[in-house]
Amino acid sequence: MPKAIVIGAGIAGIASAIRLTLKGYQVDVFEANSKPGGKLGELRMKGFRFDTGPSLFTMPQYVDELFTLAGKNPKDYFDYIKLKEVCRYFYEDGLRLNAKSDIDLFAQEIEAKTNSTAAEVNRFLKKSETIYEVTHQVFLERTLHKLKSYLHWDTLKSVFRFLQIDAFRAQSKANKKFFKDERIAQLFNRYATYNGSDPYQAPATLNVIPHFEYHFGAFLPKNGMYGIVTALVKLAEELGVKFHYNQKVEEILYTEGAQPKILGAKIYDKTYKAEVVVSNLDIWFTYKNLLKNIDPPKKLLNQERSSSALIFYWGMDGNYSDLGLHNIFFAKDYQAEFNAIWKDKIISDDPTVYINISAKHLRSESPNDSENWFVMINVPSNNGQNWDLLIQEARTQIIKKISRILNRNIEKDIICEQILDPRSIESKTGSYQGSLYGNSSNSQFAAFLRHPNFSSKIKGLYFCGGSVHPGGGIPLALLSAKIIDDNMPS
Ligand code: FAD
């Protein structure tokens, strides 16, 4: 039986292991941490449970597909609910919007409460759908790095429709045209942050993202986000994948000579042989630490990183009926917030605050009469800023902002706390500079600039995960594993 090694048990590493087993490989996964999941982690504290990373689950069909491929019923492993309410939005001027997943209801609410109309919302989402139609097969579901991808008729059709993807103006410029009310433009500008980018620089192509949420839907796994990891690891183990925890790979081994070929991987001076190696690490660390003798793709590795996050996990004494599962408290001056992050590389003094409370649906996640708050703001990636000071200042601003808008002193309700910042994101998940999504998508051609899913220098070496093609976030990380599968010799 041919052997394969997967380095890293992030979501794409686990998906790759499942796919390789189904291709007939004997698969070993080596993970530096004591648990699988990488950025998709969990934390338990004083009776509260928190998902530490992703909180928004879209495109669950990419998870289901792995069970179906293995001949199993996904529902026997993993279940989720479709959300009726996508997000609650709070503005400093008192405006509150409850974005229903039924877009007609949401559009009517926007028309009733703001200067924008339902027709504006519908026009915008139609455009979002068009961008999806043009991009999904070409940019998301196939490799951009093999000629055969360009020989499909649907790829050629997409090339002819390239101008429709709105790549030549910034997202914020496009949205200013779509919406009379700048608060609604702000609401849709926020989608650039879903892949760690800046709406004032990133192309309007990112307006494709609302299509995922409003057309396919937003979901919540019934066992929390970490339930995705436990279900996939269970499937992988049943198929024969072996997971080795606390095993940090130090080197990828390959033959020397004109046509290098994979030999395996090295961990603590021990050599493990394999014909195939899939690296799920941040591509920056794959080159820096595991492929020291290979010329790195310098231009790609020197690109601007996506943003990072500062997260407070708060156990809250009390219930907040104004809040739902996903809540956004917008900054007054959105552009100033992004200037602080991208130009000054600091935290804005009025950051947009995201609060996720999984206990709103999953009661067992917090003790009675209490809530598990995941409170996150976007921050720059780690360039050696004085984080301790920035975190202290941000904490004060966040508490003031939420208390002001909810008209309730929230600080007295915080009964326990843990913090994740760009430094700890890097040390806990191996993400260079603590970026959440690899390189940023602030340039027009970012989609073409992500690292391919295979090595052109070493036969048998593949790359998956949020830092390579097609991009960051759970759905795209899962697609990276699928693209490897589709492009491997069987
Ligand atoms: P990673 O999660 O990056 O895991 C890589 C693994 O490799 C880690 O387990 C690490 O320990 C291991 N590793 C590193 N070095 C070695 C080594 N030398 N040897 C062995 N193992 C090694 N996405 C969404 O879809 N929705 C969201 O709402 C969302 N919100 C997010 C919020 C936060 C705070 C964060 C951090 C991320 C968020 N994301 C979200 C992004 C999403 O989590 C990632 O894109 C996705 O989980 C990345 O998975 P991955 O396969 O690239 O692996």
Side-chain angles (χ1 to χ4, degrees):
M1 206 181 202
K3 288 188 174 169
I5 288 174
V6 176
I7 310 174
I11 188 78
I14 303 168
S16 296
I18 291 169
R19 287 176 178 276
L20 283 163
T21 315
L22 295 172
K23 264 200 145 63
Y25 285 86
Q26 182 188 321
V27 184
D28 287 281
V29 180
F30 293 101
E31 165 55 51
N33 284 335
S34 58
K35 283 172 77 174
K39 295 187 187 74
L40 238 170
E42 74 169 347
L43 161 73
R44 289 174 196 271
M45 160 171 69
K46 301 209 163 150
F48 294 89
R49 198 199 74 87
F50 300 87
D51 287 303
T52 53
S55 52
L56 177 65
F57 184 38
T58 52
M59 308 299 270
Q61 61 269 39
Y62 296 149
V63 177
D64 288 347
E65 184 187 12
L66 294 163
F67 296 99
T68 315
L69 271 178
K72 310 276 185 184
N73 178 1
K75 294 282 176 276
D76 291 342
Y77 292 77
F78 172 65
D79 207 359
Y80 43 83
I81 48 175
K82 187 167 184 185
L83 300 175
K84 293 204 172 98
E85 181 183 273
V86 173
C87 188
R88 294 191 187 179
Y89 296 99
F90 299 81
Y91 295 80
E92 288 277 359
D93 65 2
L95 173 66
R96 290 183 180 195
L97 296 169
N98 284 4
K100 296 279 184 273
S101 60
D102 178 333
I103 193 60
D104 290 332
L105 291 180
F106 186 37
Q108 280 162 22
E109 188 189 11
I110 287 179
E111 181 155 311
K113 292 183 175 172
T114 76
N115 300 323
S116 274
T117 61
E120 287 175 20
V121 177
N122 290 329
R123 254 197 313 274
F124 174 84
L125 287 173
K126 187 76 205 136
K127 178 70 184 176
S128 184
E129 182 181 357
T130 303
I131 301 174
Y132 176 77
E133 278 169 11
V134 179
T135 55
H136 75 109
Q137 283 175 333
V138 186
F139 293 96
L140 304 181
E141 289 161 21
R142 296 206 181 114
T143 175
L144 291 174
H145 308 92
K146 285 203 168 158
L147 181 64
K148 70 171 190 187
S149 298
Y150 296 93
L151 301 179
H152 283 271
W153 173 234
D154 45 23
T155 311
L156 287 174
K157 274 195 298 193
S158 294
V159 170
F160 292 130
R161 294 176 72 192
F162 188 76
L163 285 178
Q164 293 180 326
I165 73 171
D166 220 348
F168 297 104
R169 57 179 174 169
Q171 190 191 31
S172 59
K173 278 225 169 87
N175 292 351
K176 207 171 173 177
K177 286 246 156 64
F178 273 113
F179 299 106
K180 274 198 292 290
D181 195 310
E182 63 183 41
R183 295 167 299 181
I184 305 308
Q186 181 177 27
L187 188 154
F188 286 105
N189 282 346
R190 196 180 74 86
Y191 284 89
T193 66
Y194 279 36
N195 72 0
S197 302
D198 171 1
Y200 296 90
Q201 299 182 61
T205 314
L206 295 191
N207 278 334
V208 68
I209 301 173
H211 186 68
F212 288 81
E213 243 179 59
Y214 285 101
H215 177 76
F216 294 106
F219 299 83
L220 177 71
K222 285 186 176 167
N223 291 330
M225 295 299 285
Y226 198 69
I228 305 173
V229 174
T230 43
L232 288 180
V233 168
K234 181 167 186 268
L235 171 69
E237 285 179 336
E238 281 175 13
L239 295 173
V241 175
K242 290 205 176 70
F243 287 85
H244 309 266
Y245 298 110
N246 299 308
Q247 298 288 308
K248 187 170 182 179
V249 174
E250 283 155 356
E251 198 179 341
I252 292 172
L253 304 170
Y254 49 90
T255 57
E256 302 289 331
Q259 285 184 318
K261 234 171 50 186
I262 276 296
L263 284 177
K266 201 168 119 188
I267 304 160
Y268 308 126
D269 290 334
K270 202 166 166 200
T271 296
Y272 294 85
K273 289 193 182 149
E275 286 85 50
V276 162
V277 167
V278 178
S279 174
N280 180 212
L281 268 65
D282 190 315
I283 191 70
W284 201 91
F285 280 120
T286 301
Y287 280 100
K288 177 97 187 352
N289 295 339
L290 307 188
L291 291 170
K292 288 188 194 124
N293 298 322
I294 290 281
D295 248 358
K298 286 198 191 71
K299 201 167 158 210
L300 186 142
L301 298 188
N302 290 336
Q303 263 177 58
E304 181 180 52
R305 300 288 292 176
S306 63
S307 56
S308 185
L310 169 61
I311 304 137
F312 299 91
Y313 307 95
W314 287 336
M316 299 294 286
D317 187 15
N319 288 309
Y320 283 70
S321 56
D322 290 358
L323 301 180
L325 173 67
H326 300 290
N327 310 276
I328 289 289
F329 291 73
F330 272 120
K332 233 189 220 159
D333 184 343
Y334 214 30
Q335 188 155 12
E337 178 180 0
F338 287 97
N339 283 345
I341 296 174
W342 293 97
K343 296 207 168 78
D344 307 331
K345 310 245 181 264
I346 54 165
I347 300 179
S348 155
D349 52 15
D350 177 26
T352 295
V353 183
Y354 166 65
I355 306 179
N356 174 259
I357 310 170
S358 63
K360 291 283 182 194
H361 287 268
L362 313 175
R363 259 320 311 160
S364 63
E365 308 236 307
S366 69
N368 278 346
D369 297 323
S370 62
E371 292 179 345
N372 58 344
W373 284 25
F374 165 110
V375 181
M376 179 176 122
I377 59 170
N378 295 307
V379 305
S381 57
N382 181 21
N383 288 284
Q385 294 91 329
N386 182 349
W387 286 111
D388 292 336
L389 181 66
L390 289 173
I391 291 168
Q392 204 186 341
E393 288 169 356
R395 189 179 186 280
T396 307
Q397 294 304 340
I398 290 169
I399 288 172
K400 272 194 198 157
K401 185 178 182 80
I402 305 170
S403 300
R404 184 169 62 238
I405 294 180
L406 293 183
N407 197 19
R408 174 168 170 181
N409 173 6
I410 65 157
E411 189 165 22
K412 65 169 184 34
D413 288 342
I414 303 173
I415 48 180
C416 55
E417 174 180 82
Q418 285 209 28
I419 300 173
L420 195 67
D421 65 52
R423 298 164 303 182
S424 41
I425 292 174
E426 176 168 322
S427 64
K428 288 185 175 170
T429 74
S431 181
Y432 178 51
Q433 295 182 343
S435 292
L436 303 192
Y437 306 94
N439 288 340
S440 82
S441 294
N442 285 345
S443 85
Q444 278 155 356
F445 298 108
F448 295 99
L449 298 173
R450 295 189 91 86
H451 196 284
N453 302 109
F454 54 86
S455 167
S456 53
K457 293 190 175 141
I458 303 172
K459 193 164 169 246
L461 177 59
Y462 297 87
F463 309 97
C464 67
S467 69
V468 295
H469 178 72
I474 296 169
L476 301 197
L478 288 170
L479 281 176
S480 70
K482 181 172 165 36
I483 292 171
I484 293 177
D485 193 356
D486 292 344
N487 287 279
M488 266 180 90
S490 30

